[in-house]
């Protein structure tokens, strides 16, 4: 029997449920990756990062076997594969429960059934699937009770994969597609010098557990410290398994940092569950009370936010970090999201889509969940009347302005007493420190106190309207 292992967001050869089963149960196995141009976001760091990881996996596999590739929508790609290899009887993949992937999988189940191909699918991307942890069959809407039940559940161990158990088909199937993929990869810009692949991801995990895990609770909110795990990019592509991460963390000595990191892994499962429960959440606010917020949506302000030209140093530094590196520290994601929605009164969906374009670690469930949390429109969201003050957040998490100076070099010479609010400098002081507000660095584009009042009024109005 000839089977197909359909890689998607699981770009690794170890601890991979579908691949492990495919190797155990197949006489001949085709390793396959399908690229749907309709899903491309060309020119975006998100797109570049993901397909750079695909290219890395293909290079790794092709050293001894072969990863076959095909461009097109899933159904057309598999029609071509079946035309070339009609003896295919089984398909193995790790299922996707949310967004485009969930719709694709449902359509392909029907297609495979019509073709009399046996489907073998597995929940591989999370410690617990969306339907595993419920309250009397209902989805949780609040994180804390979900976590209390989640932490008590047994987590699966890593899965052994043995490619030598089956014959992997290495004879070229799609010669033109291979050439197209090679050209496609050559056109991907180099984003950064960060190594790719599961081997590096595992080394990164080991380093984090050994050096940073024990102080994670103390350092994770300090952008300049850069002591987060930095595993999100590899989890997003599946270059490392969440089971492998969990097992490594469990072997570490108990600490507050370890507990805090476990809670972050739980948030990942929680937001995935929420996306399954609310499949429209990318375009619709979960909280009905806040579906009627009258966003001001000033495009000029949005462009200044995108460019890191708001006049609020911590916000601008965060956006510069995103634009320059394709990544943003988690604390800064909250600050910039709050500023966009509560200070600039711009629809959270605008920000979510910009992050989708720019983040190399873009995960739909976590990104949408985070934006709805910041905008107070999601489940278990920050109450709408708790609005981040960007200045006090800056003073708390970047007290000496080290992070600001790294990403807003025009403020490098500013003393600490002005680094969070350069607009407080006199003209003489500006001259002394080599800066001209409004020219070399912008004045604040809004007054936080005034915008806070406007935001509260808009949320209160939305709540009243929803209850009419």
């Amino acid at each position: 029997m000839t089977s197909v292992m359909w890689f998607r967001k699981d770009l690794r050869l170890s601890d991979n449920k579908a691949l492990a089963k495919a190797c155990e149960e197949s006489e001949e196995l085709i390793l396959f990756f399908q690229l749907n141009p309709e899903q491309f976001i060309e020119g975006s760091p998100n797109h570049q990062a993901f397909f750079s990881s695909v290219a890395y996996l293909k290079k790794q596999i092709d050293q001894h076997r072969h990863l076959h590739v095909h461009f097109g929508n899933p159904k057309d790609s598999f029609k071509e594969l079946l035309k070339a290899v009609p003896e295919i009887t089984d398909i193995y993949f790790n299922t996707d429960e949310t967004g485009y992937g969930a719709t694709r999988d449902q359509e392909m189940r029907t297609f495979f059934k019509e073709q009399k191909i046996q489907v073998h699918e597995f929940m591989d991307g999370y410690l617990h699937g969306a339907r595993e942890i419920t309250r009397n069959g209902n989805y949780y809407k609040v994180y804390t009770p979900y976590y209390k039940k989640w932490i008590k559940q047994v987590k699966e161990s890593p899965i052994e994969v043995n490619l030598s158990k089956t014959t992997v088909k290495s004879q070229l199937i799609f010669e033109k597609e291979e050439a197209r993929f090679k050209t496609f990869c050559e056109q991907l810009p180099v984003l950064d010098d960060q190594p790719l692949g599961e081997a590096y991801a595992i080394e990164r995990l080991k380093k984090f557990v050994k050096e940073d895990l024990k102080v994670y609770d103390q350092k994770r909110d300090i952008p300049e410290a850069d002591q987060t795990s930095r595993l999100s990019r590899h989890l997003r592509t599946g270059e490392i398994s969440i089971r492998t991460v969990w097992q490594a963390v469990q072997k570490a000595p108990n600490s507050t940092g370890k507990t805090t990191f476990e809670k972050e892994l739980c948030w990942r499962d929680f937001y995935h569950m929420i996306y399954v429960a609310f499949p429209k959440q990318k375009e619709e606010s979960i909280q009905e009370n806040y579906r009627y917020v009258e966003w001001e949506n000033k495009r000029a302000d949005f462009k200044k936010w995108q460019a890191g030209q708001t006049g609020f140093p911590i916000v601008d530094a965060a956006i510069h970090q995103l634009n320059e590196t394709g990544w943003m520290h988690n604390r800064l994601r909250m600050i910039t999201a709050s500023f966009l929605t509560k200070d600039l009164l711009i629809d959270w969906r605008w920000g979510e889509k910009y992050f989708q374009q720019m983040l190399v670690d873009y995960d739909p469930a976590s990104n949408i969940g985070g934006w709805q949390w910041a905008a107070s429109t999601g489940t278990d969201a920050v109450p709408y009347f708790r609005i981040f003050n960007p200045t006090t957040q800056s003073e708390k998490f970047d007290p000496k302005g080290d992070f600001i100076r790294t990403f807003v070099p025009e403020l490098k010479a500013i003393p600490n007493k002005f680094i969070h609010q350069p607009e407080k400098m006199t003209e003489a002081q500006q001259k002394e420190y080599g800066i001209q507000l409004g020219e070399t660095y912008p004045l604040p584009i809004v007054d936080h106190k005034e915008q806070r009042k406007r935001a509260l009024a808009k949320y209160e109005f939305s709540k009243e309207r929803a209850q009419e």
Side-chain angles (χ1 to χ4, degrees):
M1 118 183 148
T2 298
S3 304
V4 176
M5 168 60 198
W6 182 11
F7 287 95
R8 290 101 72 84
K9 294 187 293 186
D10 48 3
L11 307 180
R12 63 184 185 277
L13 298 179
S14 63
D15 192 13
N16 184 319
K17 282 188 180 180
L19 182 59
K21 279 295 182 182
C23 291
E24 286 179 11
E25 300 174 352
S26 307
E27 295 175 4
E28 181 182 57
L29 182 62
I30 296 171
L31 306 179
F32 187 65
F33 189 90
Q34 174 265 334
L35 301 89
N36 186 356
E38 294 177 6
Q39 292 301 114
F40 293 176
I41 312 176
E42 293 187 12
S44 84
N46 172 349
H47 170 101
Q48 295 160 13
F50 184 82
F51 288 107
S52 292
S53 292
V54 174
Y56 188 93
L57 176 70
K58 179 167 172 55
K59 184 178 180 181
Q60 179 187 13
I61 291 176
D62 288 0
Q63 289 177 359
H64 304 290
R65 298 174 178 87
H66 196 77
L67 177 64
H68 303 273
V69 295
H70 194 277
F71 289 78
N73 68 57
K75 192 174 292 186
D76 288 343
S77 289
F78 273 97
K79 283 180 180 178
E80 291 299 314
L81 182 59
L82 289 169
K83 188 185 298 183
V85 191
E87 60 269 26
I88 291 172
T89 59
D90 294 76
I91 178 83
Y92 292 78
F93 60 84
N94 293 310
T95 192
D96 200 335
E97 298 182 285
T98 60
Y100 162 80
T103 302
R104 173 205 60 207
D105 285 0
Q106 187 54 49
E107 291 176 351
M108 293 308 293
R109 289 184 194 103
T110 302
F111 171 79
F112 291 134
K113 184 176 181 180
E114 292 170 351
Q115 302 300 317
K116 295 182 171 51
I117 294 175
Q118 182 67 39
V119 172
H120 309 265
E121 57 181 304
F122 306 87
M123 199 295 293
D124 179 80
Y126 296 86
L127 287 167
H128 294 288
R131 297 168 180 83
E132 285 184 43
I133 298 178
T134 60
R135 176 185 284 160
N136 300 322
N138 298 316
Y139 293 111
Y140 281 90
K141 294 183 179 180
V142 179
Y143 171 81
T144 300
Y146 175 87
Y147 168 74
K148 289 180 178 178
K149 189 169 184 179
W150 179 93
I151 195 64
K152 295 178 182 177
Q153 305 301 308
V154 175
K155 310 292 186 283
E156 292 181 326
S157 299
I159 309 296
E160 183 180 352
V161 177
N162 188 348
L163 277 168
S164 63
K165 283 189 174 182
T166 186
T167 299
V168 176
K169 187 177 182 65
S170 296
Q171 184 179 354
L172 209 59
I173 299 176
F174 303 114
E175 187 173 351
K176 289 183 179 179
E177 297 293 297
E178 295 285 330
R180 182 179 176 183
F181 183 75
K182 182 180 179 181
T183 301
F184 174 79
C185 293
E186 289 172 349
Q187 294 172 346
L188 292 173
V190 177
L191 289 173
D192 50 38
D193 58 358
Q194 180 177 328
L196 301 173
E198 59 184 310
Y200 172 75
I202 290 171
E203 286 305 308
R204 175 70 204 178
L205 170 63
K206 290 177 180 177
K207 182 178 184 297
F208 170 70
V209 171
K210 181 180 178 180
E211 299 177 8
D212 298 327
L213 181 62
K214 58 183 176 295
V215 294
Y216 179 74
D217 59 312
Q218 304 166 37
K219 301 289 188 177
R220 68 184 182 127
D221 278 326
I222 309 300
E224 184 65 19
D226 193 22
Q227 286 187 272
T228 57
S229 74
R230 288 290 191 126
L231 291 170
S232 55
R233 179 173 180 174
H234 305 292
L235 285 168
R236 175 266 179 119
T237 58
E239 290 175 316
I240 193 169
S241 156
I242 190 63
R243 294 177 296 275
T244 297
V245 174
W246 179 261
Q247 184 184 68
V249 170
Q250 295 315 295
K251 290 180 179 178
N254 289 334
S255 66
T256 307
K258 176 180 174 179
T259 300
T260 302
F261 187 71
E262 289 175 345
K263 289 180 178 179
E264 289 302 305
L265 297 181
C266 180
W267 271 109
R268 186 172 179 272
D269 278 9
F270 178 76
Y271 275 143
H272 173 247
M273 178 269 297
I274 291 297
Y275 199 1
V276 172
F278 298 95
K280 296 180 180 179
Q281 69 163 349
K282 186 171 175 63
E283 298 297 337
E284 181 178 78
S285 296
I286 294 173
Q287 293 279 355
E288 293 183 18
N289 280 343
Y290 306 121
R291 290 178 183 170
Y292 304 98
V293 175
E294 294 181 345
W295 305 106
E296 295 185 355
N297 290 343
K298 295 179 181 177
R299 191 160 293 278
D301 285 352
F302 183 60
K303 287 182 177 179
K304 289 175 182 176
W305 178 86
Q306 287 178 299
Q309 291 290 310
T310 68
F312 288 82
I314 195 66
V315 174
D316 294 339
I319 294 295
H320 286 314
Q321 182 184 43
L322 174 64
N323 292 344
E324 293 171 24
T325 71
W327 185 82
M328 186 190 288
H329 188 280
N330 187 59
R331 168 57 58 174
L332 301 178
R333 297 186 197 203
M334 292 188 280
I335 294 172
T336 54
S338 177
F339 184 82
L340 184 74
T341 55
K342 306 289 180 62
D343 284 83
L344 299 186
L345 300 172
I346 289 175
D347 194 327
W348 61 268
R349 283 159 282 226
W350 290 28
E352 196 279 329
K353 287 182 174 65
Y354 187 66
F355 274 24
Q356 177 181 8
Q357 176 186 343
M358 299 303 296
L359 286 169
V360 298
D361 65 349
Y362 177 74
D363 174 87
S366 295
N367 195 59
I368 297 167
W371 272 96
Q372 290 230 34
W373 179 89
S376 304
T377 60
T379 184
D380 202 21
V382 60
Y384 75 91
F385 48 82
R386 290 183 186 167
I387 298 175
F388 280 14
N389 181 319
T391 302
T392 56
Q393 288 283 309
S394 183
E395 292 169 343
K396 183 176 181 180
F397 297 111
D398 189 27
K400 295 181 180 179
D402 293 334
F403 180 80
I404 291 171
R405 291 186 180 89
T406 299
F407 286 98
V408 189
E410 54 266 47
L411 298 180
K412 202 164 188 176
I414 304 301
N416 291 353
K417 65 179 179 179
F418 294 126
I419 193 65
H420 307 290
Q421 291 182 291
E423 70 275 11
K424 288 190 172 184
M425 289 188 293
T426 64
E427 288 187 11
Q429 288 168 329
Q430 292 177 45
K431 188 174 181 180
E432 178 183 356
Y433 301 121
I435 188 169
Q436 187 177 355
L437 295 175
E439 295 293 333
T440 55
Y441 184 73
L443 288 161
I445 61 174
V446 293
D447 181 304
H448 172 71
K449 289 183 179 180
E450 290 302 315
Q451 293 302 99
R452 185 180 188 279
K453 294 176 186 177
R454 293 172 63 83
L456 291 174
K458 288 181 179 293
Y459 278 83
E460 288 163 4
F461 174 79
S462 177
K463 190 174 180 179
E464 290 170 3
R465 184 176 173 187
Q467 295 174 353
E468 288 178 354

